[in-house]
Amino acid sequence: MAKKTTKTTKTTRRSTTERDIEKFCAFWAMAIAAILYIFSGIIALVIRYADVANIFSTILNVVTLLGNIAMIVAIALPAYKYAVTKGKNGKIIYWILLVIFAFGVVMSFIGHI
């Protein structure tokens, strides 16, 4: 008599909590970035037509930097989840791109000072 073999498949699922944290961070990072970009646009208009350009220019640069950092958070978390599925090379490419992206944000901040 032949032995009956069963084949089991392993499915990997991310926990609900992990997805909720990712969605929460992405949502609030996008909301913060949107508010900060609107605020920086208003400050840019005030700089153009007011006499307090130096003070508002510095505030504008800081607000823009905070908006960019919020966008990094919103982009970085889902991108990491994707990179993990691509193995070691995906993780390496992810970290290289994240460092380049963050460096670009810092350089744009320095360039506007």
Side-chain angles (χ1 to χ4, degrees):
M1 185 186 251
K3 289 184 180 179
K4 184 177 179 181
T5 60
T6 59
K7 184 178 180 182
T8 59
T9 58
K10 181 180 177 185
T11 58
T12 58
R13 295 183 184 173
R14 295 191 308 183
S15 68
T16 304
T17 306
E18 187 176 317
R19 283 188 298 237
D20 289 344
I21 291 171
E22 182 179 323
K23 291 175 187 176
F24 176 82
C25 289
F27 175 81
W28 284 108
M30 184 179 68
I32 291 168
I35 291 168
L36 292 175
Y37 282 136
I38 292 293
F39 185 66
S40 67
I42 292 169
I43 291 176
L45 288 174
V46 171
I47 289 171
R48 182 171 291 179
Y49 299 110
D51 195 25
V52 289
N54 290 334
I55 295 170
F56 280 123
S57 179
T58 303
I59 293 172
L60 174 65
N61 290 335
V62 170
V63 168
T64 302
L65 176 68
L66 293 176
N68 289 337
I69 289 171
M71 290 305 293
I72 289 173
V73 170
I75 293 170
L77 291 176
Y80 182 75
K81 300 296 181 188
Y82 175 76
V84 167
T85 65
K86 299 302 175 190
K88 185 176 181 179
N89 291 335
K91 288 182 196 176
I92 292 170
I93 291 171
Y94 168 81
W95 287 110
I96 291 170
L97 292 175
L98 185 64
V99 167
I100 291 170
F101 188 75
F103 181 71
V105 168
V106 171
M107 290 304 293
S108 69
F109 177 71
I110 292 172
H112 290 294
I113 292 181

